[in-house]
Amino acid sequence: MERWKTIVEPFRIHSVEPIRLKTVQQREIALREAGWNLFGVHAEDVIIDLLTDSGTGAMSRDQWAGIQRGDESYAGSPSWYAFLESVQALFPFRHVIPTHQGRAAEKILFSAIGGPGKSIPNNTHFDTTRANVEYTGAEAVDLVIPEGRVPSLLHPFKGNMDVAALEVFLTERGADNVPAVFVTITNNSGGGQPVSLANLHAVRAVCDRFGVPLFLDACRFAENAWFIHEREEGQSGRPIVDIVREMASLADGMTMSAKKDGMANIGGWLAVNDDALAERCRNLLILTEGFPTYGGLAGRDLEAIAQGLREVVDEDYLRYRIGSTAYLGDALHLSGIPIVRPVGGHAVYIDARALLPHIDPLQYPGQALAVALFREGGIRGCEIGTVMFGRHPDGSETPAAMDLVRLAIPRRTYTQSHIDYVIEVVRWVAERGSDLRGYRIAEEPRSLRHFTARFEPLD
Ligand SMILES: Cc1ncc(COP(=O)(O)O)c(C=O)c1O
C-alpha cells in the first residue's frame, strides 16, 4: 500500500448509525440550554463528535462476537481469564485489577499510595489523574521536556519526561515523599505526543537510583509504540507487540483506560508487580468496584477488551490510525491554522491562544473556539486549557500553560469525507476568528470544573 497516498481504512462498514444534520439556529438553542458547555449538549445535536476518543470508537465484528460469548459468572468467569491473558500478553505484570474505567484505577492506586506530603511527578498529568492525586492531598507535578510546552516546536518525542528535572525533583522532595513516578503514553494533555523508549529507559534508571517505582498511564500505548516504530532509531523492524512489552518491562505498574487502546466502550485496569500494594488495591476494589475477577465490568466487557487488545497492535490498523489523524492536522497546518506539531496520535490540537490572540487566557480562547466550531458546523471538540486546568486547589485561577482545542478522533468511526467536512468548517471559523469573543464562568463545581461549569459569552 506504500505506493498510494489515499488512506484506505483497513475495515469495511458493517452496521451504521444515523447522524442528524441540525441547523445553526438549533445549535444556538442547544448552546444556550447547555450554558455554553459542550459537555452539556445532547449528542444528537452534534454532527461530528470529536469531544473525545475515549469509549467512542466502533467495535469490530470479533469484539461483538466476544460480547455474545461473555460469561457473567460472579467469580472466575472464562471471560476474566480471556481478559487476563490478553492484558498479560502485552503487559506481563503479576497482578491485574480490572476497573470500570481508567479513573477508577487511578482512584484506587492513589488512595493506596497518595496522601498529604506526597508528590507524584508525571510528564503531564491527565485531568482525572491530577484530580485523583490532589483529592488525596498529594501534589501532582508535570515535568515534560521544555519542547513539550511549545505547541509549534517540532520534536519526535515531545511527550518525553525531562529526566534532569526529575532528578532535581526527587532530590528536593526526597524519595520517601514520592511514592511513584508516572509517565503518560502518549501524553494526552501535552498534545497526544509520544514518549521514546530511550526516555523510558532513562526515567527507569533515575527511578532505580532513587528507589522509586515507575508507573505508566498507558491509555494509548499502541499509538505510542507505533511512533517508536516509525521515529526511533533501530525500532522500525520490530513487531509492535515487542515494543509494547519493552515499555511494560521498564515499569512496576500501570493504570489503563480500555476506552482508548483497549478498543472498547468501557473498561480499564490497574496492574502492579508489588504483592503488598496489589492486596491493598484489591481491598479497595472490592469496596468500590467489585470482585477481583470482574472489577467494575460485565463479563461481556472483559471479552470485548480481550479482543480489542489483539486488534490494536495490528500494523495496518496503526498505520491508518496515525495517518488519518495526521491527514487532519496537516490540512489545518497547511491552511495556516496554528496546531500542536508534530500531530499527535489520537487528536489534533488547535492552538486557540495563538489563533485568537485578542482573547485573554482568563476569558478562555479555547472555549470560544470550541463553541464556534459547534455553532457553525456541529463539530464538538474539547477545550484543554485554562477552563480545564486554570483553577487550583487553593481557589486561585491562573492561565494554563496552553489554551488548546482538542479534536479527538474516535477509533474506526469516521471516514475521510467526515474529516474533509471538519477541515472545511475549521478553516471557515479560523478565517473569521477576529469576530469571536471570550467567555466568563457563571457557575463552577469545586473540581474538574470543565465538565459541568456554565458559561456566559462576553460582549
Ligand atoms: C492519559 C489519560 N489518563 C487517564 C484517563 C482516564 O480514563 P477514563 O476516562 O477511562 O477514566 C484518560 C481519559 O481520557 C487519559 O487520556
Side-chain angles (χ1 to χ4, degrees):
M1 291 306 295
E2 266 103 56
R3 279 175 72 192
W4 312 110
K5 281 210 184 88
T6 308
I7 303 163
V8 175
E9 287 91 354
F11 48 81
R12 292 183 299 194
I13 294 166
H14 175 65
S15 122
V16 296
E17 282 182 88
I19 291 178
R20 311 269 169 225
L21 302 175
K22 302 251 172 115
T23 62
V24 173
Q25 289 70 29
Q26 287 171 310
R27 288 194 290 273
E28 274 174 352
I29 295 168
L31 276 170
R32 197 171 293 274
E33 282 172 1
W36 287 270
N37 186 334
L38 297 181
F39 284 98
V41 160
H42 293 213
E44 288 209 330
D45 291 333
V46 178
I47 296 178
I48 307 287
D49 206 345
L50 307 182
L51 183 67
T52 173
D53 64 320
S54 178
T56 51
M59 289 209 294
S60 68
R61 176 193 60 192
D62 294 340
Q63 286 180 288
W64 284 110
I67 293 267
Q68 283 298 322
R69 226 180 10 251
D71 179 299
E72 305 303 341
S73 304
Y74 188 91
S77 150
S79 301
W80 152 250
Y81 289 105
F83 168 86
L84 183 63
E85 190 184 326
S86 249
V87 171
Q88 288 182 326
L90 296 170
F91 303 99
F93 295 113
R94 283 158 59 82
H95 304 279
V96 178
I97 298 174
T99 58
H100 78 277
Q101 57 185 92
R103 69 198 67 188
E106 294 165 359
K107 167 87 177 136
I108 289 171
L109 178 68
F110 297 127
S111 303
I113 66 172
K118 306 280 187 213
S119 300
I120 316 260
N122 202 327
N123 44 357
T124 311
H125 286 275
F126 183 66
D127 59 352
T128 60
T129 324
R130 170 173 290 279
N132 272 305
V133 169
E134 289 173 351
Y135 189 75
T136 70
E139 176 196 29
V141 179
D142 295 340
L143 295 178
V144 72
I145 53 170
E147 292 89 334
R149 297 178 200 268
V150 186
S152 58
L153 219 147
L154 291 178
H155 186 290
F157 292 102
K158 246 175 133 169
N160 280 353
M161 177 80 97
D162 185 335
V163 179
L166 177 65
E167 264 195 280
V168 171
F169 181 85
L170 286 165
T171 310
E172 281 175 5
R173 296 294 198 283
D176 287 350
N177 298 319
V178 182
V181 169
F182 256 75
V183 178
T184 303
I185 52 171
T186 58
N187 190 22
N188 182 2
S189 303
Q193 300 293 328
V195 176
S196 70
L197 268 181
N199 187 254
L200 282 174
H201 276 278
V203 172
R204 172 82 246 175
V206 172
C207 288
D208 282 345
R209 262 209 312 288
F210 284 84
V212 174
L214 171 60
F215 273 74
L216 299 176
D217 176 344
C219 296
R220 297 176 183 83
F221 69 87
E223 293 171 8
N224 200 87
W226 180 256
F227 282 117
I228 289 173
H229 183 270
E230 295 299 287
R231 294 184 185 166
E232 195 159 351
E233 219 187 307
Q235 301 299 324
S236 64
R238 291 180 77 187
I240 296 300
V241 172
D242 279 6
I243 298 175
V244 173
R245 286 202 193 110
E246 184 172 341
M247 296 191 298
S249 73
L250 295 169
D252 300 288
M254 68 186 289
T255 54
M256 175 71 189
S257 167
K259 300 170 76 173
K260 285 80 171 177
D261 278 352
M263 306 283 254
N265 301 125
I266 195 74
W269 68 86
L270 165 66
V272 298
N273 280 332
D274 181 321
D275 297 340
L277 177 60
E279 193 185 326
R280 267 188 292 155
C281 291
R282 279 209 183 93
N283 289 338
L284 289 168
L285 181 86
I286 293 172
L287 271 185
T288 58
E289 292 279 295
F291 188 72
T293 64
Y294 70 84
L297 294 169
R300 64 183 77 103
D301 301 322
L302 294 167
E303 292 277 358
I305 297 166
Q307 177 59 24
L309 291 174
R310 288 191 280 275
E311 294 175 10
V312 77
V313 288
D314 178 75
E315 288 198 13
D316 287 344
Y317 162 72
L318 284 169
R319 185 175 297 107
Y320 140 78
R321 168 75 176 156
I322 303 300
S324 51
T325 307
Y327 174 81
L328 170 60
D330 291 347
L332 298 184
H333 174 63
L334 289 174
S335 308
I337 295 163
I339 60 166
V340 174
R341 295 186 71 224
V343 176
H346 67 294
V348 172
Y349 294 71
I350 304 174
D351 183 350
R353 195 178 287 175
L355 183 68
L356 309 175
H358 58 289
I359 302 182
D360 187 273
L362 291 177
Q363 295 179 352
Y364 316 124
Q367 185 66 15
L369 180 61
V371 168
L373 294 177
F374 175 70
R375 186 178 54 236
E376 300 307 327
I379 294 164
R380 176 157 69 166
C382 181
E383 193 265 10
I384 301 215
T386 304
V387 174
M388 192 179 268
F389 296 119
R391 180 72 71 201
H392 307 292
D394 67 2
S396 63
E397 188 185 34
T398 55
M402 301 189 249
D403 277 298
L404 305 175
V405 172
R406 184 185 69 178
L407 303 178
I409 319 287
R411 292 166 182 77
R412 305 187 291 202
T413 304
Y414 291 114
T415 63
Q416 192 159 335
S417 59
H418 288 120
I419 299 300
D420 285 337
Y421 170 73
V422 173
I423 294 166
E424 192 181 342
V425 172
V426 177
R427 280 189 189 137
W428 194 94
V429 170
E431 278 161 17
R432 292 157 185 80
S434 56
D435 297 342
L436 297 182
R437 295 288 167 265
Y439 283 79
R440 64 175 283 272
I441 292 186
E443 281 172 44
E444 64 180 282
R446 280 171 62 93
S447 74
L448 296 177
R449 67 178 178 172
H450 53 287
F451 287 129
T452 54
R454 292 183 71 83
F455 297 83
E456 277 170 8
L458 295 166
D459 296 329

